[in-house]
Amino acid sequence: TEPRFGKKWKYGFSFIHSEKNKIGLISVNLFIKGGSVIETDNEAGITNLTVQLLTKGTANRTSEKIAIESESLGATISAGCSNDFSEVSMIVPSANFISAFDIFADVVNNPTFPEKEFAKEKTRTIAAIKSKSDRIFDVAYDYFNELIFKNHPYHKPVEGYKTTVFPLTTSQISDNYRKHFNTTNMVLCVTGDVDFETTKKLVEKYFSNIKIIGTTEKTKQQQLKQLKIELPKQSKKIYTGKFQQSYIFSGFLAPDINQKEYATLKVINAVLGGGMGSRLFDVLREKSGLVYEGDSFYLSRKEISAFVLYAGTSKENVGTVEQIFIDEIKKLTEISDDELKNAKEYLKGTYLLDHRTIQRQSWYLGWWETMGRGYEYDQKYLKDIDAVSISDIKTACKKYFNPKEITTVILK
């Protein structure tokens, strides 16, 4: 059935329900708007750590009890954080939905952040941050984000830095939770083998009494809009590292997910880096063998985005690859009807394939709503892709891809 929507209902948050009969499963996805973008630089990583601790103990259940009860119901509850949102999700057989939802709501509403679990999770997080230094892609990408987003919260990694995570206390974690995990910031999506009335009663039972504390999403977004990103033309930094290979990132600031050019830039990215038929694969791998990996991506971000080209190559070839990036950017206004058609089919195909599971179907409905497009855009997105013209691509390229304003990071 078509999704039903309870946006801005009397409890203050967005509620989406989509019934899928005879599949025997239910997916629950709760999005909390904000993510790491709401943090100060001094507390980088606090949101990620907060979210990871949600399943480590509540007022009613220990970490072990949460795990045992969930497992006995065939349910999996997980939590994660990204730049623009945090999320708590659950997949469960429909026969056990009511019992499992009690655990899910307990995790969201009543976390206690036990000191022992906090210490373990902080140690794990710091270890994960340290391990990134052994991966050349991660090191170079962090450098690139620090440069291109230097005046915006997107510049910092979601997991934070060792220097910011280590001093964090359970008191700070608790304060962060109470400020941001409130109904004004929530989007709850339930998809699967359960009717609307049953779901609505459960949501009312467990989420109607959440107190609204701290900065609202609207206020926070107003604060973020006051930030300005200003980059000098041809921003470029070269770093030395311990790796035998080199890595290069080059890119431009680009429209956020809610701008009219979003679908156009998705198509451009598919032309440039969409799989083995893309231009970058052809010129960097097939014809020259210059790189061991190379591609492009266009970030789906809520505040501002980036269109990025990247490659791993030898130290002696990094300059050649950098020039190829610039040459390929200049050629983007030259696109054939066949290239456009193939790019669209690639995008639509990968998007539909990513909807194969009930978990991903539910996730997309909640994600589009959280990001500002509205859950309906899950269907409209494909229509917008189909509507992109060669003229749209030429206009967007001239507007956003000036080779004289490219941002580049090279790790040698």
Side-chain angles (χ1 to χ4, degrees):
T1 60
E2 288 297 313
R4 298 182 69 175
F5 192 45
K7 185 178 181 182
K8 294 180 181 177
W9 67 342
K10 59 183 177 180
Y11 302 120
F13 64 97
S14 301
F15 168 46
I16 304 163
H17 172 265
S18 180
E19 186 173 355
K20 307 284 184 179
N21 293 320
K22 298 180 180 179
I23 62 171
L25 290 171
I26 296 169
S27 180
V28 181
N29 296 82
L30 177 69
F31 292 82
I32 300 92
K33 298 175 185 177
S36 64
V37 75
I38 63 178
E39 303 166 344
T40 64
D41 283 2
N42 292 333
E43 289 188 331
I46 190 172
T47 306
N48 178 64
L49 192 53
T50 302
V51 173
Q52 297 303 324
L53 285 164
L54 292 178
T55 59
K56 304 303 180 182
T58 72
N60 304 303
R61 295 173 173 89
T62 63
S63 176
E64 292 77 13
K65 191 174 182 181
I66 292 170
I68 291 170
E69 287 189 20
S70 299
E71 186 177 305
S72 70
L73 295 169
T76 300
I77 299 175
S78 57
C81 178
S82 69
N83 296 96
D84 290 309
F85 57 86
S86 302
E87 59 179 307
V88 185
S89 60
M90 179 177 72
I91 184 76
V92 62
S94 52
N96 299 330
F97 174 55
I98 294 175
S99 298
F101 198 81
D102 181 84
I103 305 171
F104 177 86
D106 193 26
V107 164
V108 174
N109 295 336
N110 306 306
T112 52
F113 309 112
E115 192 69 46
K116 185 177 179 181
E117 297 290 346
F118 168 72
K120 288 182 189 176
E121 203 58 42
K122 185 160 73 168
T123 299
R124 289 193 196 101
T125 301
I126 292 173
I129 293 171
K130 289 180 179 178
S131 72
K132 287 178 65 178
S133 65
D134 295 325
R135 300 190 294 271
I136 189 171
F137 177 96
D138 292 339
V139 174
Y141 188 42
D142 281 351
Y143 283 142
F144 180 77
N145 283 329
E146 294 285 0
L147 181 59
I148 197 166
F149 292 123
K150 62 181 181 179
N151 295 323
H152 190 280
Y154 285 158
H155 77 87
K156 57 187 183 294
V158 169
E159 67 274 14
Y161 311 97
K162 289 183 289 184
T163 54
T164 58
V165 172
F166 183 77
L168 290 175
T169 66
T170 52
S171 177
Q172 288 174 286
I173 295 292
S174 181
D175 287 344
N176 183 64
Y177 168 81
R178 287 187 291 109
K179 285 179 182 177
H180 302 295
F181 276 66
N182 59 68
T183 53
T184 59
N185 289 343
M186 290 182 176
V187 174
L188 178 65
C189 185
V190 179
T191 302
D193 206 350
V194 61
D195 63 82
F196 179 75
E197 289 303 321
T198 298
T199 309
K200 181 173 177 286
K201 287 177 182 177
L202 277 178
V203 173
E204 288 178 329
K205 177 181 177 180
Y206 289 105
F207 288 95
S208 62
N209 295 320
I210 297 177
K211 295 180 180 179
I212 298 174
I213 304 172
T215 304
T216 66
E217 170 70 5
K218 182 178 180 180
T219 302
K220 191 63 190 178
Q221 297 308 317
Q222 290 172 343
Q223 292 170 354
L224 286 170
K225 286 178 181 177
Q226 293 173 2
L227 295 168
K228 293 182 179 180
I229 297 183
E230 295 179 359
L231 289 175
K233 293 183 178 181
Q234 290 185 311
S235 300
K236 183 176 178 178
K237 283 193 176 183
I238 300 175
Y239 298 88
T240 56
K242 60 183 180 181
F243 306 100
Q244 295 190 358
Q245 299 290 329
S246 287
Y247 224 93
I248 177 171
F249 278 87
S250 293
F252 306 87
L253 291 174
D256 63 70
I257 194 172
N258 292 296
Q259 300 306 309
K260 62 181 181 180
E261 300 100 336
Y262 176 70
T264 301
L265 265 72
K266 282 293 186 184
V267 173
I268 294 172
N269 181 61
V271 170
L272 190 62
M276 296 176 67
S278 68
R279 291 184 178 186
L280 284 180
F281 186 89
D282 182 56
V283 71
L284 293 176
R285 296 283 297 274
E286 289 291 292
K287 290 181 178 178
S288 65
L290 281 170
V291 306
Y292 60 86
E293 66 177 343
D295 210 337
S296 66
F297 58 85
Y298 169 46
L299 300 166
S300 296
R301 294 279 176 82
K302 195 171 183 178
E303 298 299 326
I304 192 167
S305 188
F307 189 98
V308 185
L309 297 78
Y310 69 91
T313 185
S314 63
K315 295 182 186 294
E316 58 267 25
N317 287 330
V318 70
T320 303
V321 173
E322 181 182 9
Q323 185 58 51
I324 288 174
F325 281 174
I326 294 172
D327 293 342
E328 290 303 315
I329 286 293
K330 290 178 180 178
K331 294 176 185 176
L332 278 174
T333 54
E334 305 166 10
I335 182 171
S336 68
D337 290 333
D338 282 343
E339 270 191 307
L340 178 60
K341 179 182 177 182
N342 291 339
K344 289 180 178 181
E345 292 304 312
Y346 172 81
L347 275 176
K348 291 188 292 183
T350 54
Y351 188 73
L352 291 172
L353 282 172
D354 201 24
H355 281 66
R356 285 176 295 180
T357 68
I358 193 70
Q359 291 168 294
R360 294 302 288 169
Q361 292 169 29
S362 180
W363 186 88
Y364 271 107
L365 290 172
W367 180 71
W368 284 119
E369 183 64 31
T370 301
M371 297 296 281
R373 278 285 193 172
Y375 76 96
E376 306 97 331
Y377 198 69
D378 188 43
Q379 297 296 321
K380 190 175 184 297
Y381 172 68
L382 296 178
K383 296 177 181 178
D384 282 358
I385 293 296
D386 266 332
V388 173
S389 66
I390 291 177
S391 176
D392 293 331
I393 290 174
K394 290 181 177 180
T395 300
C397 287
K398 290 177 181 178
K399 184 175 180 180
Y400 296 107
F401 301 155
N402 183 350
K404 294 181 180 181
E405 297 181 356
I406 197 167
T407 298
T408 297
V409 162
I410 296 173
L411 177 59
K412 288 186 173 182

